[in-house]
mmCIF file of all heavy atoms in Angstrom:
data_model
loop_
_atom_site.group_PDB
_atom_site.id
_atom_site.type_symbol
_atom_site.label_atom_id
_atom_site.label_comp_id
_atom_site.label_asym_id
_atom_site.label_seq_id
_atom_site.Cartn_x
_atom_site.Cartn_y
_atom_site.Cartn_z
ATOM 1 N N ALA D 86 89.707 84.031 82.262
ATOM 2 C CA ALA D 86 91.186 83.979 82.537
ATOM 3 C C ALA D 86 91.543 84.894 83.732
ATOM 4 O O ALA D 86 90.865 85.926 83.858
ATOM 5 C CB ALA D 86 91.912 84.354 81.327
ATOM 6 N N ILE D 87 92.687 84.505 84.383
ATOM 7 C CA ILE D 87 93.167 85.251 85.367
ATOM 8 C C ILE D 87 94.487 85.867 84.897
ATOM 9 O O ILE D 87 95.442 85.295 84.572
ATOM 10 C CB ILE D 87 93.505 84.435 86.708
ATOM 11 C CG1 ILE D 87 92.292 83.588 87.103
ATOM 12 C CG2 ILE D 87 94.114 85.357 87.823
ATOM 13 C CD1 ILE D 87 92.666 82.381 87.947
ATOM 14 N N ALA D 88 94.505 87.245 84.966
ATOM 15 C CA ALA D 88 95.623 88.063 84.442
ATOM 16 C C ALA D 88 96.336 88.598 85.622
ATOM 17 O O ALA D 88 95.720 89.264 86.457
ATOM 18 C CB ALA D 88 95.214 89.165 83.478
ATOM 19 N N PHE D 89 97.641 88.388 85.793
ATOM 20 C CA PHE D 89 98.296 88.876 86.996
ATOM 21 C C PHE D 89 99.616 89.540 86.635
ATOM 22 O O PHE D 89 100.237 89.147 85.520
ATOM 23 C CB PHE D 89 98.607 87.728 88.007
ATOM 24 C CG PHE D 89 99.533 86.642 87.520
ATOM 25 C CD1 PHE D 89 100.969 86.812 87.668
ATOM 26 C CD2 PHE D 89 99.232 85.709 86.557
ATOM 27 C CE1 PHE D 89 101.890 85.902 87.285
ATOM 28 C CE2 PHE D 89 99.991 84.852 86.044
ATOM 29 C CZ PHE D 89 101.434 84.912 86.255
ATOM 30 N N THR D 90 100.105 90.571 87.347
ATOM 31 C CA THR D 90 101.208 91.193 87.085
ATOM 32 C C THR D 90 102.399 90.267 87.458
ATOM 33 O O THR D 90 102.657 89.916 88.618
ATOM 34 C CB THR D 90 101.499 92.563 88.048
ATOM 35 O OG1 THR D 90 100.200 93.260 87.782
ATOM 36 C CG2 THR D 90 102.635 93.356 87.559
ATOM 37 N N ARG D 91 103.315 90.030 86.454
ATOM 38 C CA ARG D 91 104.380 89.128 86.745
ATOM 39 C C ARG D 91 105.659 90.060 86.942
ATOM 40 O O ARG D 91 106.639 89.564 87.610
ATOM 41 C CB ARG D 91 104.702 88.256 85.445
ATOM 42 C CG ARG D 91 105.726 87.282 85.751
ATOM 43 C CD ARG D 91 105.978 86.342 84.474
ATOM 44 N NE ARG D 91 106.792 85.198 84.736
ATOM 45 C CZ ARG D 91 107.188 84.396 84.034
ATOM 46 N NH1 ARG D 91 106.724 84.343 82.754
ATOM 47 N NH2 ARG D 91 107.936 83.378 84.381
ATOM 48 N N GLY D 92 105.634 91.283 86.497
ATOM 49 C CA GLY D 92 106.740 92.158 86.739
ATOM 50 C C GLY D 92 106.715 93.264 85.787
ATOM 51 O O GLY D 92 105.737 93.457 85.030
ATOM 52 N N PRO D 93 107.493 94.308 85.809
ATOM 53 C CA PRO D 93 108.523 94.496 86.805
ATOM 54 C C PRO D 93 108.002 95.058 88.141
ATOM 55 O O PRO D 93 106.814 95.588 88.062
ATOM 56 C CB PRO D 93 109.536 95.473 86.210
ATOM 57 C CG PRO D 93 108.720 96.197 85.192
ATOM 58 C CD PRO D 93 107.551 95.330 84.798
ATOM 59 N N GLY D 94 108.773 94.970 89.211
ATOM 60 C CA GLY D 94 108.149 95.360 90.500
ATOM 61 C C GLY D 94 108.991 94.945 91.683
ATOM 62 O O GLY D 94 110.092 94.413 91.473
ATOM 63 N N LEU D 95 108.451 95.023 92.851
ATOM 64 C CA LEU D 95 109.177 94.433 94.046
ATOM 65 C C LEU D 95 108.808 92.950 94.064
ATOM 66 O O LEU D 95 107.725 92.548 93.996
ATOM 67 C CB LEU D 95 108.519 95.094 95.332
ATOM 68 C CG LEU D 95 108.754 96.653 95.377
ATOM 69 C CD1 LEU D 95 108.005 97.146 96.655
ATOM 70 C CD2 LEU D 95 110.139 96.991 95.571
ATOM 71 N N LEU D 96 109.991 92.310 94.219
ATOM 72 C CA LEU D 96 109.767 90.783 94.219
ATOM 73 C C LEU D 96 108.763 90.169 95.101
ATOM 74 O O LEU D 96 107.950 89.376 94.796
ATOM 75 C CB LEU D 96 111.104 90.117 94.257
ATOM 76 C CG LEU D 96 111.255 88.778 93.498
ATOM 77 C CD1 LEU D 96 110.772 88.828 92.047
ATOM 78 C CD2 LEU D 96 112.659 88.331 93.615
ATOM 79 N N GLY D 97 108.969 90.578 96.408
ATOM 80 C CA GLY D 97 108.033 90.068 97.457
ATOM 81 C C GLY D 97 106.548 90.369 97.209
ATOM 82 O O GLY D 97 105.700 89.607 97.409
ATOM 83 N N SER D 98 106.327 91.641 96.633
ATOM 84 C CA SER D 98 104.990 92.076 96.377
ATOM 85 C C SER D 98 104.474 91.220 95.223
ATOM 86 O O SER D 98 103.282 90.773 95.264
ATOM 87 C CB SER D 98 104.957 93.505 96.093
ATOM 88 O OG SER D 98 105.235 94.374 97.138
ATOM 89 N N LEU D 99 105.216 91.138 94.134
ATOM 90 C CA LEU D 99 104.807 90.348 93.028
ATOM 91 C C LEU D 99 104.491 88.840 93.292
ATOM 92 O O LEU D 99 103.571 88.381 92.814
ATOM 93 C CB LEU D 99 106.033 90.406 91.877
ATOM 94 C CG LEU D 99 106.247 91.769 91.167
ATOM 95 C CD1 LEU D 99 107.531 91.771 90.490
ATOM 96 C CD2 LEU D 99 105.019 92.124 90.312
ATOM 97 N N LEU D 100 105.310 88.449 94.351
ATOM 98 C CA LEU D 100 105.034 86.946 94.674
ATOM 99 C C LEU D 100 103.719 86.652 95.178
ATOM 100 O O LEU D 100 103.020 85.673 95.036
ATOM 101 C CB LEU D 100 106.133 86.490 95.832
ATOM 102 C CG LEU D 100 107.301 85.743 95.351
ATOM 103 C CD1 LEU D 100 108.253 85.652 96.469
ATOM 104 C CD2 LEU D 100 106.856 84.394 94.823
ATOM 105 N N VAL D 101 103.167 87.742 95.992
ATOM 106 C CA VAL D 101 101.916 87.568 96.471
ATOM 107 C C VAL D 101 100.727 87.324 95.456
ATOM 108 O O VAL D 101 99.949 86.550 95.487
ATOM 109 C CB VAL D 101 101.523 88.706 97.502
ATOM 110 C CG1 VAL D 101 100.124 88.562 98.015
ATOM 111 C CG2 VAL D 101 102.479 88.817 98.731
ATOM 112 N N GLY D 102 100.814 88.349 94.449
ATOM 113 C CA GLY D 102 99.815 88.337 93.334
ATOM 114 C C GLY D 102 100.017 87.021 92.580
ATOM 115 O O GLY D 102 98.971 86.515 92.229
ATOM 116 N N THR D 103 101.180 86.711 92.234
ATOM 117 C CA THR D 103 101.477 85.618 91.408
ATOM 118 C C THR D 103 101.048 84.273 92.103
ATOM 119 O O THR D 103 100.386 83.430 91.487
ATOM 120 C CB THR D 103 103.052 85.440 91.098
ATOM 121 O OG1 THR D 103 103.474 86.671 90.584
ATOM 122 C CG2 THR D 103 103.304 84.290 90.134
ATOM 123 N N SER D 104 101.354 84.176 93.366
ATOM 124 C CA SER D 104 101.016 82.924 94.167
ATOM 125 C C SER D 104 99.474 82.859 94.357
ATOM 126 O O SER D 104 98.873 81.812 94.173
ATOM 127 C CB SER D 104 101.520 83.052 95.544
ATOM 128 O OG SER D 104 102.952 83.172 95.413
#
Side-chain angles (χ1 to χ4, degrees):
I87 306 158
F89 66 96
T90 306
R91 188 177 189 182
L95 299 172
L96 206 54
S98 292
L99 290 164
L100 259 172
V101 178
T103 307
S104 308

